[in-house]
Amino acid sequence: MEALNSYLAGDTAEGKAILRDLVNATIGFEGLAAEIHKPSKSLHRMLAPRGNPSTENFFDIINALQKKTRVKLRVTARTA
């Protein structure tokens, strides 16, 4: 998922923008709110350009999107 790659590369603004788009295109903010038990407005703020989701919230969002899209992310390490 490109959002996760952006986050890991340090480009959090781009990662949040991609996550926002993905949420809107799949589960929607209301569906995401129900899935992870967070208010929709809080999720909008977290993924806003100046938002700052906690690590727990970030991965809750990623997990909900994985369920909705049926895409399983796997991280592997490589030497530079």
Side-chain angles (χ1 to χ4, degrees):
M1 177 184 296
E2 192 64 30
L4 192 54
N5 286 336
S6 293
Y7 257 90
L8 293 174
D11 191 353
T12 56
E14 179 70 16
K16 287 185 290 190
I18 294 168
L19 271 182
R20 261 194 325 275
D21 291 345
L22 187 55
V23 168
N24 282 320
T26 57
I27 194 169
F29 277 91
E30 292 299 323
L32 179 61
E35 181 72 27
I36 66 171
H37 311 290
K38 300 280 182 196
S40 177
K41 283 189 169 203
S42 292
L43 295 171
H44 277 284
R45 283 191 299 270
M46 283 180 215
L47 297 180
R50 294 179 55 145
N52 189 16
S54 68
T55 302
E56 180 180 1
N57 288 331
F58 177 78
F59 283 106
D60 284 346
I61 293 167
I62 296 293
N63 286 328
L65 290 171
Q66 285 184 113
K67 287 180 191 175
K68 177 65 177 176
T69 61
R70 295 186 176 144
V71 171
K72 189 72 172 170
L73 299 176
R74 184 175 46 190
V75 178
T76 57
R78 291 189 306 189
T79 56

